[in-house]
């Protein structure tokens, strides 16, 4: 994989790869509840939640040279290049004092999966996969976009419209499911029925972290 991404160093403590933080990939279709559950996991188990979509959205607002390109890709539900997303994730990881990360919505395709592994040499501890029907995800995404209506949406997203939602479902099936298959074949996938109420889903999520012996750790454990 010839992708060039500069892995930021962690001060005098060496690179990300040398430090080997714990990484859990959190995958699932758009609206399956990744962000909602990651917020709960972060609170209960001391992980730092990094949503790749949120990092990309922040980049579109930062006035950076990539901003317009990223915004256009997101409007179409397309996957932004691995190089751009990995750079944002690694920067956020390096800036954090934690050593446990939930990478929400990453990796979304085989290229990003291979590039992340190549650049960081980090293997995920496991992959949480939120399984949910398209019908339910569509209902949730359209509901999410109602926030703040009928006037100006307070947190409505430009890509939560039916046309883009359908494109995102297609991209998920075609590009992201193969990533899940890759990790399934390595016994790394923990599948969760995400079609249930939030609290019930979290009960199942908790079980995976408890069986991994997770307790809330202190910040700055890898300094
Ligand atoms: P994702 O990050 O996977 O796109 P979110 O966590 O943002 O999904 O959830 C999408 C929308 O669905 C949000 O409005 C959220 O409040 C709602 N939601 C999340 N989980 C559930 C659930 N288990 N049942 C019903 N609604 C949910
Ligand atoms: O995960 P989230 O729903 O916030 O992602 C929104 C959009 O951001 C995706 O549809 C895609 O266009 C872009 N994205 C990406 N690569 C990621 C995460 C998000 O291209 N790893
Ligand atoms: Mg999300």
């Amino acid at each position: 994989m010839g992708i060039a991404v500069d892995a930021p160093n962690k001060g005098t403590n060496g690179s990300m790869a040398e430090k080997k933080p714990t990484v859990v990939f959190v995958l699932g279709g758009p609206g399956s509840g990744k962000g909602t559950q990651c917020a709960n996991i972060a609170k209960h188990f001391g992980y730092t939640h990094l949503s790749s979509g949120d990092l990309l959205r922040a980049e579109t607002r930062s006035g950076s040279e990539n901003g317009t390109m990223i915004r256009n890709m997101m409007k179409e539900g397309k996957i932004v290049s691995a190089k751009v997303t990995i750079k944002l994730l690694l920067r956020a990881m390096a800036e954090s004092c934690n050593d446990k990360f939930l990478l929400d919505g990453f990796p979304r395709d085989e290229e990003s999966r291979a590039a992340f592994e190549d650049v960081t040499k980090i293997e995920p501890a496991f992959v949480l996969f939120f399984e949910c029907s398209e019908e339910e995800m569509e209902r949730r995404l359209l509901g999410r976009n109602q926030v703040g209506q009928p006037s100006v949406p307070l947190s409505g997203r430009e890509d939560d419209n039916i046309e883009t939602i359908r494109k995102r479902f297609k991209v998920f099936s075609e590009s992201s499911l193969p990533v899940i298959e890759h990790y399934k074949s390595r016994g790394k996938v923990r599948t969760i029925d995400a079609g249930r109420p939030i609290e019930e889903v979290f009960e199942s999520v908790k079980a995976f972290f408890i069986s991994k012996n997770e307790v809330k750790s202190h910040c700055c454990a890898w300094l």
Side-chain angles (χ1 to χ4, degrees):
M1 191 80 219
I3 193 164
V5 181
D6 306 321
N9 280 345
K10 184 82 181 154
T12 54
N13 293 295
S15 72
M16 193 79 62
E18 284 159 20
K19 285 292 154 194
K20 285 271 182 290
T22 300
V23 166
V24 175
F25 291 151
V26 182
L27 298 176
S32 58
K34 301 181 295 296
T36 304
Q37 297 298 330
C38 282
N40 284 336
I41 301 164
K43 203 161 92 190
H44 273 74
F45 297 105
Y47 277 73
T48 293
H49 171 202
L50 297 178
S51 157
S52 45
D54 285 351
L55 290 170
L56 289 166
R57 271 182 289 277
E59 192 66 4
T60 65
R61 294 188 294 267
S62 73
S64 87
E65 54 176 328
N66 282 327
T68 309
M69 175 277 291
I70 295 172
R71 185 166 174 218
N72 289 335
M73 296 290 278
M74 292 175 92
K75 269 205 263 189
E76 289 299 312
K78 292 182 182 159
I79 299 173
V80 175
S81 84
K83 183 177 174 178
V84 169
T85 309
I86 290 173
K87 196 169 168 189
L88 294 174
L89 284 169
L90 293 186
R91 187 168 70 194
M93 288 170 78
E95 282 169 4
S96 166
C97 62
N98 204 349
D99 65 345
K100 312 199 293 189
F101 298 94
L102 300 167
L103 300 196
D104 164 0
F106 182 90
R108 256 179 160 86
D109 59 13
E110 278 289 293
E111 187 198 350
S112 320
R113 180 200 63 69
F116 184 83
E117 205 175 291
D118 200 39
V119 170
T120 66
K121 313 291 178 218
I122 294 171
E123 267 278 313
F126 57 92
V127 179
L128 269 189
F129 170 38
F130 291 107
E131 201 166 41
C132 194
S133 70
E134 286 192 358
E135 195 187 15
E136 174 64 15
M137 294 194 288
E138 185 177 304
R139 198 173 17 247
R140 290 180 189 175
L141 292 174
L142 293 174
R144 182 166 70 180
N145 214 23
Q146 296 305 309
V147 181
Q149 294 285 5
S151 54
V152 182
L154 292 173
S155 62
R157 272 174 46 172
E158 226 175 1
D159 56 349
D160 280 349
N161 62 77
I162 193 65
E163 199 188 323
T164 312
I165 287 169
R166 298 256 156 91
K167 289 181 185 165
R168 288 156 70 198
F169 286 161
K170 191 162 183 287
V171 167
F172 177 73
S173 302
E174 290 177 359
S175 302
S176 308
L177 281 178
V179 175
I180 292 159
E181 287 307 319
H182 170 93
Y183 286 116
K184 264 190 185 159
S185 69
R186 283 157 180 77
K188 291 245 167 184
V189 176
R190 311 287 179 264
T191 302
I192 298 199
D193 172 5
R196 297 168 296 154
I198 292 173
E199 298 71 25
E200 274 184 43
V201 175
F202 190 54
E203 283 307 307
S204 305
V205 168
K206 263 202 305 209
F208 286 128
F209 283 87
I210 288 166
S211 71
K212 193 185 170 291
N213 259 336
E214 285 289 1
V215 286
K216 198 164 179 166
S217 73
H218 296 291
C219 206
C220 299
W222 61 328
L223 286 179

